[in-house]
Amino acid sequence: MRKHIPILTFVFILLLQGFICYAQKKTIDQKVDSVLKMMTLDEKIGQMNQYNGPWGATGPLTNDNNLLSQIKEGKVGSMLNVTGVKRTRELQELAMQSRLKIPLLFGQDVIHGYRTIFPIPLAEAASWDMEAIERSARIAATEASAAGIHWTFAPMVDIARDPRWGRVMEGAGEDPYLGSMIAVARVKGFQGKGFGHTDAVMACAKHFAAYGAAVGGRDYNSVDMSLRQLHEVYLPPFKAAAAAGAASFMNSFNDLNGIPATGNSYLQRDILKKEWGFKGFVVSDWGSVGEMIPHGYAKDNYEAAILAANAGSDMDMESRSYIKNLAQAVKEGKVKIAVIDEAVRRLLKKKFEMGLFDDPYRFCNEEREKQQWDNQAHLHAELDIAKRSVVLLKNEQNVLPIKRSDQTIALIGPFVKAKSDNLGFWSYDWPDDSLRVVSLWEGMQKKASKGTKLLYAKGCNIIDTSSSGFEEAVEAANKADVVIMSIGEARDMSGEAKSRSNIHLPGVQEELVKAVAATGKPIIVLISAGRPLVFNTVAEKAKAILYTWWLGTKAGDAMTDILFGDYNPSGKLPMSFPITEGQIPVYYNHFNTGRPAKDDNDRFYRSAYTDLSLYPAYPFGFGLSYTHFSYSGITLNKESIKPGETLKASITVTNIGSMEGKETVQLYIRDLVGSVVRPVKELKGFQQVTLKPGESKEIYFAITANDLRFYNDKLLYKYEPGDFKLFIGTNSRDVKEADFKLIK
Ligand code: NOJ
């Protein structure tokens, strides 16, 4: 009997905890209801209204501004682009003069850091390191919340298969599995230990949905796709973000199969709120309610407001359609009061959870803001993830890492001394950026030893067409033992409204590489960019290539550590890199088609181009190391599994080089025959392993029938018995394979 006491006590504590949780939850719901009861219709609609602040904009401004008095009248629920304790406090004080004193929510695009700028999200995705990605979001939240911000419009979880689309820089690339893992890591990072903690900000999964599939990669463009593809490729990261507790979703600018996402109740009501049971709220994208008019879906703002509210868009960002029209729409019975109440409930609930009703100024602590302004630990973490994000694409004759001493190194290119271009799009222009951002030049000067001479020539600018600096660059190269060229895209060449039809290196940078290569000196090229670029000539001329994306505040230190071998690169591409624009879209998880090609000579097959390889320049998952890894064959614990059973696949990875290194071991599966055709490979798992020279490790993957599910033609998420191939390897092309069956 005695033995049972601890168990009973344990059960009792669990029940008690459950009850407390329940009681607390109930209390918030009750509180929401009691506020709701006191609200007039206008005040309710005010909560659904979000304005841009007077200090900056991230979209086209609507001209009407008696903003401050509207806050006092309770006609504004949230503001965006208001940063800093002073400003947020000022506006919150106005909200406290409103009749019901409902606090404002301050939202902001904290996309890859606030004060400390982290690598762009696509770069971080290349780390395949969920802990590091979560840490980066955590730090961003810590800094942003200290500056009065409650809510970030991140993570952007749009799957993107088209590098012409500027917003690829903001997401996690082309793969739904990796994208889902990263979505979860970022939500966890932003929301930290949970609302109620003053360093937690609300996450916002965006843009719901399928924004990344804009036709031709042109921003804001239409999307037309099968529901099966939507569910299988584009929705999983959103579903994962919702399951991880993301407080909010943002809908998207695009129309999906003819219906603008903002007015799309299939997306917002049926899938998100009903099927996934999402308890947070949905904000429109900037002006997207009103944009349903040019879409040709709403006649005017009145109709747009009705369509959006009924479709489940709870808050209107900047279009002013709700504040101007919803009251009338309710009076005319076009929008039921229950729709308004539901939206307001969702919004108030988050304000309660964030503790803003208890203390509307709880994020307005100047002391805390100051402390977070120059946080060295954050810069250190930035450097760490920047290094993890770099991808080594080529390293002929092990030209990298370079010696630290006794040589002359020529640093050539417009990125060598670049500062803010390292920050990339969606980053802040803090006045002291020129001091904080570390350029490659500064990084190298700090680390090169005394016996090393560093030469510099810019060669050309990022964009213009002048080659007047080439001569100086060639001269510098001629004097050097080794040449490092740092080139790429300027910080505003990829991002929102930054789609490009030509994704070659801009300006005359490729010409510069050619001119310098003609000296015969070994060239190492670093490419900083916000998307996969096309750089075939560079790839041919360079002995080594490091893809450095936009690495953030400590970019130059990260690059230097990698060049000197203080960090062994470990990044893997989260997107396939096309050979040229005409190959887009190119992605690894395509279908086999009825005419699959065996190789590039098999010209009649798999819709190949006659003038291009079938394969991308660099496949998804690709990335080299300064060391080399060998893979054994795959061992399976059984040849077939039944639902409920686990297949264990193992493989031994050995470091056969001479340096410690980290490998990301990738698991892919192919379902050979299905009731709908299945991709040639789908990422289903990965593991990172660090090995010393000569060291081996057996890596295990556990696979169950659940990993084999897909959306069938009835949109049911099912597995089907049959034959499967399992692949394990270093990237999506270079893999070992084994066969197994799923039986009933
Ligand atoms: C429009 C962008 O699409 C969205 O991602 C962003 O959060 C808003 N503008 C606010 O800046």
Side-chain angles (χ1 to χ4, degrees):
M1 181 63 200
R2 281 190 141 196
K3 268 193 199 152
H4 292 130
I5 290 175
I7 296 171
L8 284 176
T9 315
F10 180 66
V11 170
F12 175 73
I13 290 171
L14 273 186
L15 286 174
L16 188 67
Q17 276 174 349
F19 175 75
I20 291 171
C21 269
Y22 173 74
Q24 279 171 345
K25 216 168 109 213
K26 206 170 149 211
T27 316
I28 284 195
D29 285 342
Q30 283 174 339
K31 284 180 187 169
V32 167
D33 276 338
S34 59
V35 175
L36 199 66
K37 272 192 203 126
M38 292 189 284
M39 294 172 83
T40 62
L41 178 59
D42 286 344
E43 283 166 338
K44 288 177 183 174
I45 294 166
Q47 286 304 302
M48 299 167 72
N49 184 31
Q50 185 189 49
Y51 285 151
N52 186 70
W55 295 284
T58 46
L61 280 169
T62 322
N63 230 354
D64 124 35
N65 268 322
N66 47 0
L67 170 69
L68 305 186
S69 58
Q70 288 193 56
I71 297 176
K72 282 201 245 174
E73 288 161 25
K75 289 186 173 161
V76 187
S78 170
M79 298 290 302
L80 76 148
N81 289 328
V82 179
T83 53
V85 163
K86 190 169 168 286
R87 288 171 177 174
T88 50
R89 181 184 282 276
E90 256 168 51
L91 298 195
Q92 197 67 291
E93 276 168 359
L94 295 180
M96 289 305 109
Q97 292 173 39
S98 66
R99 189 179 75 93
L100 292 175
K101 302 191 188 342
I102 299 177
L104 289 170
L105 269 182
F106 292 101
Q108 186 71 19
D109 290 292
V110 183
I111 307 296
H112 52 112
Y114 180 71
R115 167 67 168 159
T116 308
I117 303 301
F118 281 83
I120 55 166
L122 187 63
E124 288 193 351
S127 74
W128 294 51
D129 185 330
M130 298 310 122
E131 278 173 25
I133 291 173
E134 185 177 334
R135 201 157 52 240
S136 145
R138 182 84 294 278
I139 291 172
T142 306
E143 292 182 355
S145 60
I149 294 161
H150 307 138
W151 174 26
T152 174
F153 305 132
M156 191 275 224
V157 302
D158 293 308
I159 294 298
R161 290 170 161 182
D162 191 333
R164 293 171 300 181
W165 189 48
R167 301 199 78 169
V168 292
M169 52 104 5
E170 253 178 276
E174 77 186 36
D175 183 66
Y177 179 88
L178 181 63
S180 301
M181 303 270 293
I182 292 176
V184 172
R186 290 198 202 284
V187 169
K188 276 167 55 185
F190 287 132
Q191 299 190 169
K193 292 205 187 94
F195 309 136
H197 293 266
T198 45
D199 64 355
V201 296
M202 300 194 304
C204 179
K206 70 186 191 186
H207 306 83
F208 198 58
Y211 183 39
V215 172
R218 298 199 292 277
D219 210 359
Y220 315 125
N221 210 358
S222 298
V223 176
D224 204 299
M225 69 166 63
S226 73
L227 289 183
R228 237 184 51 67
Q229 187 174 40
L230 176 73
H231 281 268
E232 194 152 297
V233 180
Y234 290 86
L235 293 187
F238 286 101
K239 193 172 181 186
S248 67
F249 267 47
M250 184 186 291
N251 58 37
S252 53
F253 288 123
N254 57 287
D255 64 281
L256 174 65
N257 302 337
I259 304 196
T262 309
N264 199 315
S265 67
Y266 173 67
L267 284 174
Q268 300 176 109
R269 290 216 183 273
D270 300 355
I271 297 178
L272 178 63
K273 292 180 178 174
K274 215 157 148 202
E275 196 181 314
W276 298 351
F278 174 68
K279 297 281 180 279
F281 65 87
V282 181
V283 64
S284 80
D285 202 343
W286 180 297
S288 69
V289 178
E291 286 177 18
M292 290 198 290
I293 305 166
H295 266 294
Y297 190 66
K299 193 166 68 176
D300 50 25
N301 258 310
Y302 178 68
E303 206 174 281
I306 295 168
L307 286 165
N310 284 337
S313 296
D314 302 309
M315 182 182 274
D316 171 7
M317 181 193 287
E318 256 300 306
S319 91
R320 286 153 167 79
S321 305
Y322 281 8
I323 196 73
K324 287 187 179 152
N325 298 293
L326 276 186
Q328 186 64 18
V330 171
K331 276 171 208 142
E332 289 181 4
K334 300 277 197 292
V335 175
K336 293 206 173 73
I337 188 68
V339 167
I340 304 288
D341 284 351
E342 189 225 303
V344 177
R345 245 190 213 104
R346 288 174 181 270
L347 291 157
L348 292 181
K349 192 163 174 183
K350 290 299 163 219
K351 292 187 177 183
F352 271 110
E353 285 173 6
M354 292 293 285
L356 295 172
F357 275 98
D358 297 330
D359 176 6
Y361 306 110
R362 62 198 306 254
F363 289 70
C364 296
N365 178 336
E366 266 164 27
E367 215 24 63
R368 185 158 80 100
E369 185 177 41
K370 258 191 235 142
Q371 276 165 18
Q372 295 303 342
W373 199 241
D374 264 316
N375 188 320
Q376 291 304 308
H378 294 178
L379 286 172
H380 195 74
E382 198 292 292
L383 172 60
D384 177 66
I385 188 158
K387 289 188 279 196
R388 290 167 199 255
S389 306
V390 172
V391 185
L392 176 65
L393 295 179
K394 181 178 180 185
N395 194 16
E396 232 172 62
Q397 293 149 359
N398 293 331
V399 59
L400 279 174
I402 54 170
K403 282 196 299 176
R404 202 184 292 269
S405 58
D406 301 330
Q407 62 173 345
T408 300
I409 304 171
L411 288 144
I412 297 174
F415 257 88
V416 174
K417 290 196 175 175
K419 290 270 188 175
S420 65
D421 280 316
N422 287 306
L423 301 178
F425 205 84
W426 290 120
S427 52
Y428 298 81
D429 261 321
W430 301 120
D432 57 352
D433 275 351
S434 58
L435 294 174
R436 276 172 69 85
V437 180
V438 182
S439 67
L440 172 60
W441 179 246
E442 289 163 341
M444 288 293 286
Q445 279 183 325
K446 276 191 254 170
K447 281 231 161 164
S449 63
K450 282 212 178 108
T452 294
K453 200 165 169 199
L454 299 178
L455 306 176
Y456 167 69
K458 190 174 189 188
C460 62
N461 288 324
I462 296 176
I463 304 174
D464 65 37
T465 50
S466 167
S467 53
S468 59
F470 282 23
E471 209 182 306
E472 194 198 359
V474 168
E475 229 171 79
N478 273 326
K479 288 186 200 145
D481 299 301
V482 62
V483 179
I484 293 168
M485 299 195 68
S486 186
I487 56 179
E489 280 187 311
R491 103 188 251 196
D492 60 355
M493 293 186 79
S494 189
E496 187 181 347
K498 297 287 178 278
S499 294
R500 290 174 61 204
S501 67
N502 172 350
I503 57 167
H504 281 63
L505 281 157
V508 288
Q509 296 182 86
E510 204 154 44
E511 301 305 313
L512 177 67
V513 174
K514 273 199 243 167
V516 173
T519 62
K521 295 293 165 99
I523 298 180
I524 294 156
V525 177
L526 277 62
I527 301 177
S528 297
R531 56 157 62 81
L533 289 175
V534 169
F535 47 90
N536 302 320
T537 312
V538 172
E540 192 194 304
K541 303 281 177 198
K543 285 256 180 273
I545 301 175
L546 287 163
Y547 214 77
T548 47
W549 316 99
W550 288 323
L551 286 181
T553 312
K554 300 285 258 178
D557 284 336
M559 294 175 190
T560 304
D561 280 353
I562 288 178
L563 288 167
F564 284 134
D566 294 338
Y567 185 87
N568 185 352
S570 53
K572 300 275 187 180
L573 297 178
M575 271 187 93
S576 309
F577 275 40
I579 297 176
T580 186
E581 292 85 355
Q583 204 182 25
I584 298 168
V586 57
Y587 48 92
Y588 83 96
N589 46 358
H590 56 79
F591 297 139
N592 203 34
T593 81
R595 292 192 169 193
K598 283 195 292 296
D599 54 46
D600 271 342
N601 301 319
D602 219 358
R603 290 284 176 204
F604 280 111
Y605 291 86
R606 211 199 115 220
S607 24
Y609 295 110
T610 54
D611 56 353
L612 263 189
S613 165
L614 280 172
Y615 307 107
Y618 303 95
F620 174 82
F622 181 82
L624 304 171
S625 162
Y626 292 159
T627 190
H628 298 276
F629 300 101
S630 78
Y631 281 70
S632 70
I634 298 172
T635 310
L636 300 180
N637 67 333
K638 41 178 98 173
E639 284 173 1
S640 56
I641 51 166
K642 289 185 185 154
E645 291 181 353
T646 301
L647 178 75
K648 278 194 190 143
S650 64
I651 198 160
T652 301
V653 183
T654 307
N655 181 344
I656 53 169
S658 53
M659 214 174 155
E660 182 175 298
K662 182 166 74 180
E663 171 70 324
T664 301
V665 184
Q666 301 161 38
L667 167 77
Y668 297 88
I669 289 181
R670 173 169 179 191
D671 186 343
L672 289 178
V673 180
S675 60
V676 291
V677 297
R678 308 294 310 130
V680 293
K681 270 180 201 130
E682 288 177 287
L683 184 70
K684 293 289 182 181
F686 59 88
Q687 284 181 44
Q688 299 198 306
V689 56
T690 299
L691 298 172
K692 295 205 160 51
E695 195 185 355
S696 292
K697 192 161 178 201
E698 199 166 4
I699 306 288
Y700 291 93
F701 290 100
I703 296 120
T704 69
N706 283 336
D707 299 311
L708 310 175
R709 287 171 188 255
F710 60 92
Y711 288 91
N712 66 19
D713 62 341
K714 308 273 181 304
L715 289 186
L716 298 172
Y717 194 49
K718 300 255 187 207
Y719 44 75
E720 291 175 358
D723 293 325
F724 293 81
K725 272 200 183 298
L726 180 149
F727 312 88
I728 303 179
T730 181
N731 64 60
S732 61
R733 271 192 75 187
D734 189 358
V735 287
K736 303 281 179 172
E737 59 178 84
D739 300 302
F740 71 95
K741 286 181 196 301
L742 176 68
I743 51 179
K744 277 193 196 152

